[in-house]
Amino acid sequence: EAGVAQSPRYKIIEKRQSVAFWCNPISGHATLYWYQQILGQGPKLLIQFQNNGVVDDSQLPKDRFSAERLKGVDSTLKIQPAKLEDSAVYLCASSFFVGQETQYFGPGTRLLVL
Amino acid sequence: TQLLEQSPQFLSIQEGENLTVYCNSSSVFSSLQWYRQEPGEGPVLLVTVVTGGEVKKLKRLTFQFGDARKDSSLHITAAQPGDTGLYLCGRSGGYQKVTFGTGTKLQVIP
């Protein structure tokens, strides 16, 4: 079974630029999560989707971050414009359904904002 | 948001030593999970504990859920270099807010 795929693996941009990350969850997984992990900290949930609907986006900085999962499969997370403090690893995870405790994580995208 | 505090923050030990890391919260959890994250990778689920006082073993790793379901511990016996990584406790899944602890970074020196 293929795991959660993310791209790109690394991205370096200058502040005020835009960036987008892509995630393809495990086939058949209805729930998809985006996390931000700052160096030395645990992951922080940004947004949770159930199919193509948003379950929780309370910690998503909506003035600059946006995410979509139009067809209920893959997802994109966008930052526009980026700030220095957005430098982090962005992790995508999926689970079979909401209420299932096991999340499967992708390898993450490492973003450096200069 | 239920805050999860982990201790110690960093731990560097010699191969063969034993260690314990802790995860504490002021709130009761219905269940708690432990993950290990290796450099450059996403976290991987190790175990889920559900019942107060529950003990689960995974080879040299022993996980315990506190009786009051507010705390948990992970004990590693005879640590090996392959145990190196970031250990995270967390509650995830369901309609409840997803929360991870601050993490314990473990380095096992050969």
Side-chain angles (χ1 to χ4, degrees):
Chain A
E1 179 182 74
V4 176
Q6 290 188 248
S7 67
R9 291 296 308 272
Y10 306 92
K11 191 73 177 179
I12 301 174
I13 61 173
E14 294 188 349
K15 60 183 179 183
R16 291 188 289 273
Q17 287 187 323
S18 302
V19 65
F21 313 127
W22 176 80
C23 172
N24 193 21
I26 293 173
S27 178
H29 280 194
T31 307
L32 184 147
Y33 311 79
W34 281 103
Y35 292 88
Q36 180 192 58
Q37 186 174 25
I38 294 173
L39 186 64
Q41 299 182 15
K44 181 184 84 170
L45 180 70
L46 293 175
I47 189 167
Q48 177 181 345
F49 290 95
Q50 171 70 6
N51 295 312
N52 60 351
V54 176
V55 174
D56 182 355
D57 65 354
S58 57
Q59 297 190 93
L60 185 73
K62 298 180 184 64
D63 58 334
R64 298 184 300 106
F65 286 65
S66 64
E68 59 182 15
R69 194 185 183 200
L70 293 177
K71 297 182 178 179
V73 181
D74 56 349
S75 175
T76 56
L77 175 70
K78 296 179 182 178
I79 307 175
Q80 181 179 8
K83 292 185 176 181
L84 297 177
E85 57 262 35
D86 297 332
S87 294
V89 175
Y90 291 85
L91 294 164
C92 179
S94 69
S95 61
F96 189 62
F97 55 80
V98 176
Q100 184 197 36
E101 293 175 331
T102 303
Q103 291 187 27
Y104 298 86
F105 284 82
T109 296
R110 278 146 191 79
L111 174 67
L112 177 60
V113 182
L114 302 176
Chain B
T1 304
Q2 295 173 321
L3 187 62
L4 285 169
E5 295 185 356
Q6 292 188 242
S7 62
Q9 203 172 358
F10 302 99
L11 194 54
S12 182
I13 62 171
Q14 295 289 330
E15 182 177 358
E17 292 184 352
N18 302 331
L19 67 117
T20 303
V21 299
Y22 301 91
C23 174
N24 294 285
S25 172
S26 57
S27 303
V28 173
F29 286 101
S30 56
S31 66
L32 191 135
Q33 299 178 314
W34 284 94
Y35 289 79
R36 179 170 64 215
Q37 184 177 19
E38 297 185 11
E41 300 296 331
V44 175
L45 180 67
L46 297 174
V47 76
T48 300
V49 286
V50 179
T51 306
E54 181 178 6
V55 176
K56 283 191 174 180
K57 291 192 175 183
L58 184 65
K59 296 183 180 179
R60 295 175 292 100
L61 278 60
T62 302
F63 304 85
Q64 186 161 6
F65 203 14
D67 291 339
R69 290 186 286 126
K70 289 184 178 182
D71 58 272
S72 182
S73 64
L74 159 59
H75 181 80
I76 301 178
T77 303
Q80 298 178 1
D83 296 327
T84 293
L86 179 67
Y87 288 81
L88 295 161
C89 65
R91 185 196 61 190
S92 58
Y95 290 102
Q96 299 165 320
K97 184 170 287 293
V98 180
T99 305
F100 279 92
T102 50
T104 293
K105 190 170 184 179
L106 172 65
Q107 180 185 32
V108 181
I109 302 168

